[in-house]
Amino acid sequence: MTGGEYGDGTRSVHAGLPAPEPGQPFLPGPVFAAPYHLDPVTGPARDGYGRPDNPTRRLLEAAIGELEGGEARAFASGQAAITAVLMAVLRPGDTVVLPSDGYYTVRSFAASTLDQLGVRVSYVPTAGPHPSFDGVRLVLLETPANPGLDVCDVAALSVAAHAAGALVAVDNTTATPLGQRPLDLGADFSVASGTKALTGHSDLLLGYAATRDAGLLERVTTWRTQTGGVPGAFDAWLAHRSMATLDLRLARQSANAAAVAMALAARSDVEHVRWPGLPDDPSYVVAERQMRRIPGLVSVDLGSAERVTAFLRASKLVFAATSFGGLHTSADRRAQWGDSTPEGFIRISCGVEDTADLVADITAALDAAA
Ligand SMILES: Cc1ncc(COP(=O)(O)O)c(C=O)c1O
């Protein structure tokens, strides 16, 4: 239903919906079941138990798979999905390349678990330079990287990794499948947190891994079945319902980010404004070529933790919160979580408020916090 002939709005609204059936809802409600009735004669069916499979989750996976252009498996969180890909692929003695500036819990997992299992971990900044991938089993890219928003060239790095015999996974959390399609760019996996802009209402945790390779799909599916990190039926349903507005939400978030980034860049009292859509941003050229739209995230250094506090207290529209991609504009001072960013560095996640209101509020709050 939602192939290449339709625009993003149509694809978002129709992704994963079953064929119309009179008397049935557009999106069937959540199926709450741990065990299902079994046929006493024929025994196990597709829906026999809720950990391996659930009809609500299948519809969500169909929707994500349509947008990513592959087959998807949903997980209880982005972290469950990323660790599933790592653990399904990597074996003792393997080398994995991880972004040094990506989501920090992936690095924590590498230090606490991959290291102990005898997997060699090498860290490379998203902006590069990327070393030779000889001897590497898996390259995980995160682009745009959270929180610094550097972008890397997925197509070129996939060619280099494949030539060396390595697999490529791209964390597509910040971009979402409407912002970029890693599988089209040559990656073996698109893996993401659906907690953020994909579902966008700040009310659930979700992750997924998508691939076009049947063998890799089988490995992450087996990992998920055996370790059990599945989303519940209600969260899966809520996620699918929320994805219908993905195109609308991203459009406003991106427009708001453009306006906020320009307003910040015009000020002399803030530093290092990053938004990959700004023509003088270091990531602009690759982002313009690779991405279908630029996400609603802007990063900036306000100079000190005290100024961030004063800014957040003065703002009426910017909530202090971690996570990102939601309807409400929020800002997160990353150093408070142990991220190696300057004390005054914040990641602003632009919501869907009116652009003029948001820019006026942020400008007034910065003036007040001068
Ligand atoms: C880029 C990125 N990947 C993965 C994750 C992990 O997602 P979750 O919190 O859904 O486990 C996050 C969370 O912030 C993230 O920003």
Side-chain angles (χ1 to χ4, degrees), residues 77-80 82 103 142 146 171 173-174 193 195-196 205-206 324:
S77 69
Q79 199 56 23
I82 292 167
Y103 182 55
E142 187 181 307
N146 168 30
D171 185 324
T173 302
T174 55
S193 169
T195 310
K196 323 291 177 190
L205 291 170
L206 184 78
F324 55 86

Side-chain angles (χ1 to χ4, degrees), residues 143 152-159 162 170 180-187 212 289-291:
T143 179
C152 62
D153 186 334
V154 174
L157 290 169
S158 296
V159 168
H162 291 157
V170 175
Q180 106 196 326
R181 303 229 308 173
L183 303 180
D184 284 351
L185 296 167
R212 292 175 181 163
R289 190 172 65 230
Q290 170 167 285
M291 302 189 68

Side-chain angles (χ1 to χ4, degrees), residues 98-107 124-126 142 145-148 339:
L98 300 179
S100 58
D101 51 348
Y103 182 55
Y104 73 107
T105 309
V106 175
R107 293 197 296 281
V124 179
T126 298
E142 187 181 307
N146 168 30
D339 236 355

Side-chain angles (χ1 to χ4, degrees), residues 7-9 11-12 64 66-69 143-144 151-152 154 170-185 190 192 197-198 208 243 246-251 253-254 275-276 286-296:
D8 283 357
R11 296 168 65 238
S12 303
I64 296 171
E66 283 176 30
L67 298 186
E68 285 283 2
T143 179
V151 169
C152 62
V154 174
V170 175
D171 185 324
N172 207 22
T173 302
T174 55
T176 85
L178 293 192
Q180 106 196 326
R181 303 229 308 173
L183 303 180
D184 284 351
L185 296 167
S190 180
L198 182 78
Y208 69 85
M243 280 173 59
L246 181 59
D247 172 62
L248 295 173
R249 288 184 281 107
L250 291 181
Q253 287 172 342
S254 188
W275 184 64
V286 183
E288 276 296 299
R289 190 172 65 230
Q290 170 167 285
M291 302 189 68
R292 304 175 68 239
R293 47 176 104 198
I294 309 295

